[in-house]
Amino acid sequence: MPELPEVEVVKKSLDKKIKKLVINDVIILNKNLRYKIETKKFLKLKKTKIISIKRRSKYLLVNLSNKLTILVHLGMTGKFFIIDQNKKKYKTSFYYSLSENDDKHDHLVIHFNKHIKLIYNDVRKFGFIKLLNSKELLNSSHLKYLGPEPLSKNFNLIYFINYVKKLKTSIKDLLMNQKFVSGLGNIYCNEILFKSKINPRKTVNKLKRLDLINLIKNTKIILKNSISLGGSSIKDFSNADGKNGNFQQKFNVYGREKNNCLTKGCSGVIKKIYVSNRSTFFCSYCQK
Ligand SMILES: [Zn+2]
């Protein structure tokens, strides 16, 4: 499932490839995504220009010259591909390879000027694409209740201290809570807790000030690192085998059940438990 870094990488790719282009046509091949694509509404896309591409949490926001915004969530398997004027196909993220692309799961194709095409492909169809005006965007339940971006200055120690004061939830659940901080998913929460040497089940009101400092610091480091690993493949994201910049291979705790702990000097073995029904990996020796 794409988490914040992947969505950020897709955003950067789209920014590089489709910004300032004008939409000539939109072909909806299958409108049955998580929410039905409003076919009629999408006619409004014709002749509009792509002004900017932003990310909020795991959502992409494509802002158009007619003041409308295309809101996209990639769900579990949503992917964008770009076909350039020479009919060369590009992926927009380092997480998947071009060879994985199966045309029968292409759901929407946007034709731009300069003979460039953007394809939305989604095998499991949990993603969605909505067209919203600025008021709808502001009131969108997808965005309205999101907490601060983890890489922003608003995600800081004072915010964290005030938020956890009276809370008795586990730290893993808190990090997963999009109202507290937006965009973190199961993989990154596991990694952040491992790097911060904190037990995922620990209740947040028992965390020390230093724990909170470490959590904030490590959240930012891990996300930035992952984005920059993907960033290196953006330079040539036509690479078909997708082997460069694959953060998935660099997990320190996620998916490493029964393997030795990677913390220096620790003789622990990674355990798998469930916290709120989500698989949680940790080392009981060094994560206290
Ligand atoms: Zn350990």
Side-chain angles (χ1 to χ4, degrees), residues 199 268-271 282-288:
N199 189 308
V269 171
I270 303 301
K271 284 182 188 166
F282 79 113
C283 169
S284 56
Y285 278 61
C286 63
Q287 288 178 259
K288 297 291 182 193

Side-chain angles (χ1 to χ4, degrees), residues 138-240:
L138 207 69
N139 293 317
S140 161
S141 58
H142 302 296
L143 306 176
K144 209 174 176 178
Y145 307 106
L146 291 174
E149 285 287 319
L151 290 172
S152 75
K153 282 180 183 150
N154 297 331
F155 185 56
N156 59 43
L157 186 61
I158 295 164
Y159 171 75
F160 207 154
I161 289 171
N162 285 331
Y163 203 99
V164 301
K165 250 180 208 165
K166 288 170 190 161
L167 276 182
K168 283 183 180 163
T169 176
S170 77
I171 180 59
K172 170 90 188 299
D173 280 341
L174 182 69
L175 291 176
M176 296 283 285
N177 181 349
Q178 302 300 303
K179 287 177 190 167
F180 169 63
V181 61
S182 64
L184 299 180
N186 198 34
I187 293 175
Y188 287 91
C189 290
N190 275 288
E191 293 297 310
I192 290 160
L193 288 164
F194 178 73
K195 197 170 166 67
S196 308
K197 296 192 165 64
I198 294 168
N199 189 308
R201 286 178 293 200
K202 191 155 187 169
T203 49
V204 289
N205 59 357
K206 287 187 181 145
L207 291 169
K208 297 188 179 76
R209 188 184 168 91
L210 186 63
D211 293 330
L212 304 187
I213 292 171
N214 280 331
L215 283 166
I216 293 168
K217 188 181 77 183
N218 291 329
T219 298
K220 292 176 196 277
I221 288 174
I222 287 172
L223 292 178
K224 275 184 192 164
N225 186 31
S226 179
I227 292 166
S228 71
L229 283 172
S232 62
S233 65
I234 290 176
K235 285 182 198 122
D236 178 19
F237 57 109
S238 61
N239 187 319

